[in-house]
Amino acid sequence: MRLALFSAAVLLTSSIHATEPNGEQQQWLEELSGKFELPLAELTQAMSQANYQQGIIDAMTRPAEAKPWHQYRPIFLTEKRLQQGVAFWQEHRKLLERAERELQVPAQLIAAIIGVETFYGAHMGGHKVLDALYTLGFHYPPRGPFFRSEFGHYLQLAKEQGWTLDEPKGSYAGAMGMGQFISSSYRHYAVDFDGDGHINLFEATDAIGSVANYFHEHRWQWGEDVAYPAMVTQPDAAEALLDPALELKHSWAELVAAGVLIEPELDAGTPVKLIRLDGVEGPEYWVVRHNFYVITRYNRSPLYAMAVYQLSEQIKQAYEQSH
C-alpha cells in the first residue's frame, strides 16, 4: 500500500493540471495576445487545457549536447542508423531527387537530419506539444521567453492546420514530425511537398520537402564542402582562434598562420571556423565552412552539426556502394 501511495504521489507531481494564471503569467498571456493577435480568452483557455510535466523540465536540463563528443557521437553514428538511412533513401529516392533538383539540398543531408531527429520517423516523441510549450514557457525561466513565443505560434499553427490543441505529440521541447520542427519553423519553413493542400510533417513527403526547404531558406550552398579534419602544429596559436560563437569569423589565411593544416587547398579569404571536439584519444580539430554553420541553424550545437555531417557522409557512401 505504501508503494502504491508513493507511485500515486509521483504521478501527481510529474503531471499537474494548469491552474488559474498568476499575475506574472497573466501579463505574459496579454503580451502573447498582442504579439500574435489572439484573443486573451483563447490563450487563457489553451493554458487551462495544459498540464505541467516535471519530466520535460528534467529532460531540458540534461540534453545530450552536454556530453563530450566521444560520448555524443556513438548515440547517432551507429550501424543500424546508417543502414536505415540507406533504406530511407532507397524508399524515397524520387522525392529526395526532386528535393535536390528544386531546392539544391543534398539527399544525404535530408536523410541524416531525419535519421538523427527521429530515426527516420520511428521516434517522433510522445509528449503533448501543448504540455511541453506550457511547461517550458511558463515554468522554465532560462528559456521562458522563447517557449512562450512558441506557445503563441503553436496556437496559430493549430488554427491553420485544424488541429485539436491537446492532440499533436512531439519531443520534450515541443518539436513535431519526422524532422522535429518547432511551431515557428513549422509555420515558416514547412511546405506542402505532395500538393494535397495540407502540410503534414508526420508523413515522409512533406517532411522531406520541408527539411530541404529549411536548409534552402538558410542558404545551403550546393556543392560546397562542410568540414575537414585538421592537424594543428601550433597548439597555442590555434587555441587562441577557438570561439564558442557559431559564426565564421576567420579566414583560411588566419588559420594557416596559426599552424592549421587540412588536405584541400582553400582560397586565402575563404570564411572558416576552427572547432575542437573531445575525442577518445584527445582533442579533434576540424575546419568548418558555411554549410556547417547552416546545419547549426537547425540545432545550435557543433556536436549536433558534426553528427549530422558525419552520418550524411556515411549514408552517401553506403548508398552509392549499394548501387
Side-chain angles (χ1 to χ4, degrees):
M1 177 62 73
R2 289 179 63 185
L3 179 60
L5 288 172
F6 175 77
S7 300
V10 169
L11 286 172
L12 285 171
T13 56
S14 63
S15 179
I16 302 171
H17 199 67
T19 56
E20 286 290 317
N22 60 32
E24 186 177 42
Q25 292 173 342
Q26 184 66 30
Q27 181 182 340
W28 291 337
L29 292 174
E30 290 170 3
E31 290 171 359
L32 290 175
S33 178
K35 177 179 178 180
F36 291 96
E37 299 182 347
L38 289 166
L40 183 58
E42 201 170 298
L43 284 154
T44 305
Q45 174 63 24
M47 183 175 168
S48 73
Q49 292 177 249
N51 290 290
Y52 171 83
Q53 302 283 358
Q54 181 60 42
I56 288 171
I57 300 292
D58 295 341
M60 182 59 68
T61 56
R62 54 171 193 270
E65 286 77 13
K67 298 177 182 291
W69 172 241
H70 62 86
Q71 293 179 8
Y72 182 88
R73 185 182 189 276
I75 298 172
F76 299 105
L77 282 100
T78 65
E79 185 64 25
K80 186 175 181 182
R81 202 180 302 261
L82 168 60
Q83 294 306 321
Q84 285 294 106
V86 174
F88 181 83
W89 193 339
Q90 291 169 337
E91 180 181 357
H92 302 292
R93 178 178 58 82
K94 290 184 178 179
L95 282 172
L96 289 163
E97 286 176 353
R98 182 182 154 210
E100 286 192 332
R101 185 173 63 251
E102 295 180 6
L103 295 163
Q104 297 287 285
V105 175
Q108 68 267 20
L109 175 70
I110 301 167
I113 286 286
I114 294 174
V116 166
E117 291 291 344
T118 63
F119 207 92
Y120 312 100
H123 307 299
M124 290 188 278
H127 295 282
K128 288 186 178 181
V129 175
L130 181 67
D131 290 353
L133 298 180
Y134 163 71
T135 298
L136 295 170
F138 294 85
H139 299 280
Y140 186 62
R143 300 289 303 282
F146 172 79
F147 284 106
R148 284 194 294 277
S149 180
E150 289 302 314
F151 185 82
H153 276 294
Y154 177 67
L155 264 61
Q156 291 282 40
L157 178 63
K159 279 186 173 183
E160 294 160 2
Q161 299 296 322
W163 294 341
T164 301
L165 276 183
D166 65 350
E167 189 175 337
K169 292 183 178 180
S171 73
Y172 66 81
M176 292 169 277
M178 294 178 71
Q180 293 290 275
F181 276 35
I182 56 174
S183 297
S184 57
S185 292
Y186 206 124
R187 298 186 68 210
H188 293 149
Y189 303 111
V191 294
D192 177 16
F193 210 51
D194 59 10
D196 68 353
H198 301 281
I199 300 175
N200 183 0
L201 299 190
F202 298 86
E203 297 291 340
T205 305
D206 286 354
I208 286 170
S210 297
V211 169
N213 188 56
Y214 188 98
F215 283 95
H216 175 76
E217 291 290 334
H218 285 82
R219 298 184 174 86
W220 179 269
Q221 298 299 306
W222 178 264
E224 185 177 288
D225 291 331
V226 176
Y228 315 101
M231 181 183 298
V232 168
T233 62
Q234 302 173 39
D236 290 344
E239 289 283 322
L241 295 177
L242 297 175
D243 187 338
L246 296 170
E247 290 76 16
L248 278 57
K249 298 179 180 179
H250 296 111
S251 68
W252 174 235
E254 290 177 273
L255 268 61
V256 170
V260 179
L261 304 175
I262 59 174
E263 267 194 20
E265 292 289 332
L266 299 179
D267 291 338
T270 303
V272 290
K273 176 179 175 63
L274 180 68
I275 66 171
R276 183 190 64 209
L277 302 175
D278 296 320
V280 176
E281 298 179 359
E284 286 182 25
Y285 292 95
W286 290 77
V287 172
V288 302
R289 297 183 62 180
H290 168 78
N291 282 342
F292 187 88
Y293 173 75
V294 175
I295 299 175
T296 67
R297 301 304 83 200
Y298 210 93
N299 180 314
R300 295 181 64 85
S301 164
L303 300 183
Y304 175 89
M306 186 59 72
V308 166
Y309 165 64
Q310 292 191 7
L311 179 62
S312 74
E313 290 295 291
Q314 288 184 3
I315 291 172
K316 179 183 179 184
Q317 183 179 14
Y319 178 82
E320 289 173 349
Q321 289 175 349
S322 70
H323 284 67

